[in-house]
Amino acid sequence: MDPVSIVINRQAAGPTPPTAANAAAPNALRTRVAEVVAQMGPPPWSKRIIADERQLVTLIASAPGGGNRPHWHREFDEWWVVLAGRLQWELTGGVIVQAAKDDIVWVPRGAVHHILNVGTERSLRLAVAMPPANHYFSPCEQCGYTDDGPREWCA
């Protein structure tokens, strides 16, 4: 069966009870952020909250000074809700975005982005992406970040 047929077959014909949800992540009907944080312990860590054919939602914690490798996405835009701490996004072209609790940050596909915890406490962000969430790693010109890691990774 082709992927389009799979998506069409997953459409609801009418109102139905939520039988596809799990008791625990991913795809629980409710996730308590405080419980996930307590379970996961000190950062760095990430925990997949929702995973289906159209969206991947991940809770990510970073320690002060921590962050991720500069990368970009070919197939999708990505966005985050900052739940705690202070974060900085370094983007293609020297663009810097500062964000704190209750901010939403959106990065369009193709833009290299490098996220850093610039605060003094743990940061927490909810990342929303689209499967298969391929990440293409790239040096970051403005911060000088380079590494010898893999050039592609699928979340």
Side-chain angles (χ1 to χ4, degrees):
M1 187 175 286
D2 65 64
V4 174
S5 297
I6 292 169
V7 171
I8 290 171
N9 291 338
R10 296 250 351 207
Q11 292 179 356
T16 58
T19 57
N22 299 319
N27 302 343
L29 289 177
R30 180 185 69 193
T31 299
R32 293 185 181 268
V33 172
E35 289 176 4
V36 174
V37 170
Q39 173 194 21
M40 298 300 291
W45 54 260
S46 65
K47 174 77 171 175
R48 183 63 43 85
I49 305 299
I50 299 169
D52 64 23
E53 70 277 1
R54 294 184 182 222
Q55 57 194 350
L56 297 172
V57 180
T58 308
L59 190 61
I60 303 168
S62 297
N68 63 2
R69 293 169 54 200
H71 66 280
W72 58 281
H73 310 285
R74 179 173 288 135
E75 300 89 3
F76 63 94
D77 304 336
E78 188 172 22
W79 57 278
W80 303 261
V81 178
V82 179
L83 301 175
R86 290 183 35 239
L87 293 162
Q88 174 178 286
W89 276 255
E90 294 180 318
L91 309 177
T92 302
V95 175
I96 304 291
V97 176
Q98 301 285 335
K101 185 179 182 325
D102 299 330
D103 287 341
I104 297 171
V105 176
W106 173 81
V107 173
R109 68 194 76 187
V112 174
H113 51 287
H114 182 201
I115 306 167
L116 296 170
N117 179 344
V118 295
T120 58
E121 59 190 47
R122 178 201 71 224
S123 68
L124 195 60
R125 65 188 185 274
L126 196 64
V128 181
M130 189 174 135
N134 290 323
H135 292 61
Y136 301 95
F137 293 102
S138 176
C140 179
E141 293 177 15
Q142 58 263 36
C143 71
Y145 186 94
T146 60
D147 73 331
D148 295 325
R151 298 289 51 127
E152 183 178 351
W153 176 72
C154 185

